[in-house]
Amino acid sequence: MGPRQRRRELAEAAQSAGLGALVRIHRGHGAGAVVAGLGLVVAIGSVPTAIAVLIMRSEAVTTWQWPLLLWSALAGLAFLAGHVGPVSGGRRWVGVAHGGLVTWQRGSVRTAKWAEAGGLPADGVCCAGDLRAAIERRAAVGTWTRRRLTGLTVTVLATAAATWFTAVPIAAHVLLGERPLKVAQLARMCEGGRSFGRTAAYEGAAPHPAVVFTTAGFGGYEPVSDDEVATVQLVGCAVLIGEGPAIKSCDYEGGYHRETYQGRYLVEVYEAQTARHVGSFRIDGPGPDQLEAKCAPSILVPESGDVQSDRAHTDPDEGTYRTHLAPFVDGPPR
């Protein structure tokens, strides 16, 4: 039976019983095992969901909204199951007329004047507080009460918040690509990782912000803050391809020995949004004429202590990177 036909039957029953015009109808809620189970899952799941979101946010996971989206979907499903889902024994509808109540359930209609309505159940329906108030006052409570407006407002705001803060970011992630949260996340492109579809495109007028990482994921040149990470257009990946003259030779306690040479690197430049190869250049770290041959007082060694000697290479400084990146950053897109 459709809503119009059911309302018509309730109105006709009210008129036949001398209760007057129908003012409002309260829809019955579901209270079966499915609704109870979903409600329990939502209640218990709120704690692990919050923990998962906090951990993913602290680790700068770009899709930290997923646990919150799944929890919101379960909460919405529980809400819908109770309001519009099937009800064991049939859904109950309570019509409020000027002179009393009309109850419809599984095709059976019962009427009761206000003097007889005190013993009728008022729970298990939408806006049960308004129905209880009508029974206590022995007078119909209007459709748009403050209680109902408050409930609808909370429901609409909760749905809008869940959509905006969870569904929209996930949809954008799926359709448009990832949006980095920190500059360091761009380093994955130098380790064979995916590009970031929601960074700025390498186009238009200069400047074209760029960062450089080593293939091990360490930052070599990061002039952009995390707040501006989405403006990065180019990612450079520096690979050690050789070494220049020796700079210093240092011995440490325990038989450890380290020799430092001038590092020589090849930097491959990619567009952050598409991973398209843009160009490359060679660059050197500081040489013997730029660094003192002074040994550091201590070095880090593996806990196993297996490495007794190693070779270190100097890294280019920011000024050197800036000079070599100038054609990419300040010139027209390639």
Side-chain angles (χ1 to χ4, degrees), residues 4-5 7 75 104 115 129 158 172 175 197 220 274 290:
R4 290 184 179 180
Q5 184 179 354
R7 184 178 185 87
W104 183 98
L175 297 175
T274 63
Q290 298 169 286

Side-chain angles (χ1 to χ4, degrees), residues 9 14 26 34 59 122 142 179 188 221 233 249 257 265 292 325 330 333:
E9 282 200 13
H26 295 268
V34 173
E59 296 294 330
R179 180 185 180 90
R188 80 179 188 194
Y221 177 69
Q233 299 180 16
S249 178
H257 178 75
Y265 302 85
E292 295 183 16
L325 284 168
D330 300 322

Side-chain angles (χ1 to χ4, degrees), residues 29-329:
H29 287 175
V34 173
V35 176
L38 286 173
L40 184 63
V41 170
V42 170
I44 296 177
S46 60
V47 175
T49 296
I51 294 174
V53 169
L54 290 174
I55 292 175
M56 294 173 75
R57 284 282 292 174
S58 66
E59 296 294 330
V61 178
T62 58
T63 53
W64 60 268
Q65 297 94 344
W66 268 116
L68 194 57
L69 177 62
L70 294 176
W71 182 86
S72 299
L74 283 174
L77 184 60
F79 180 84
L80 290 175
H83 283 73
V84 301
V87 178
S88 177
R91 190 178 301 279
R92 181 166 62 102
W93 302 80
V94 181
V96 180
H98 287 293
L101 303 180
V102 183
T103 303
W104 183 98
Q105 188 170 20
R106 302 189 69 176
S108 176
V109 179
R110 292 193 304 165
T111 61
K113 295 182 178 180
W114 288 124
E116 306 165 338
L120 296 179
D123 295 324
V125 297
C126 294
C127 297
D130 287 346
L131 180 57
R132 284 193 294 269
I135 294 174
E136 291 173 2
R137 299 174 188 175
R138 298 190 176 187
V141 174
T143 302
W144 298 107
T145 62
R146 181 181 298 178
R147 182 184 285 109
R148 189 180 189 191
L149 287 173
T150 301
L152 287 175
T153 300
V154 171
T155 301
V156 169
L157 290 178
T159 302
T163 301
W164 181 256
F165 291 106
T166 62
V168 170
I170 292 297
H173 173 85
V174 173
L175 297 175
L176 304 177
E178 284 187 75
R179 180 185 180 90
L181 301 179
K182 293 184 178 181
V183 175
Q185 290 178 319
L186 298 171
R188 80 179 188 194
M189 294 181 62
C190 298
E191 302 171 336
R194 302 182 308 278
S195 58
F196 291 83
R198 283 192 289 160
T199 52
Y202 181 42
E203 60 186 18
H208 307 286
V211 295
V212 179
F213 302 96
T214 67
T215 52
F218 298 110
Y221 177 69
E222 301 179 46
V224 179
S225 67
D226 288 338
D227 294 336
E228 301 173 322
V229 61
T231 67
V232 174
Q233 299 180 16
L234 300 171
V235 176
C237 302
V239 181
L240 181 69
I241 58 173
E243 59 186 20
I247 297 176
K248 54 189 174 183
S249 178
C250 304
D251 294 308
Y252 296 92
E253 182 180 351
Y256 293 103
H257 178 75
R258 171 170 290 178
E259 295 182 354
T260 303
Y261 294 82
Q262 180 184 30
R264 290 179 174 166
Y265 302 85
L266 173 66
V267 180
E268 302 285 358
V269 183
Y270 302 91
E271 183 180 16
Q273 188 182 86
T274 63
R276 177 177 65 88
H277 185 260
V278 173
S280 62
F281 59 86
R282 293 174 182 263
I283 189 172
D284 293 340
D289 56 339
Q290 298 169 286
L291 291 177
E292 295 183 16
K294 183 178 180 181
C295 295
S298 62
I299 60 172
L300 294 175
V301 298
E303 292 184 4
S304 63
D306 294 339
V307 177
Q308 296 297 314
S309 63
D310 63 2
R311 300 170 77 91
H313 300 88
T314 58
D315 298 315
D317 56 32
E318 289 195 3
T320 305
Y321 272 122
R322 192 178 303 113
T323 299
H324 284 76
L325 284 168
F328 300 90
V329 174

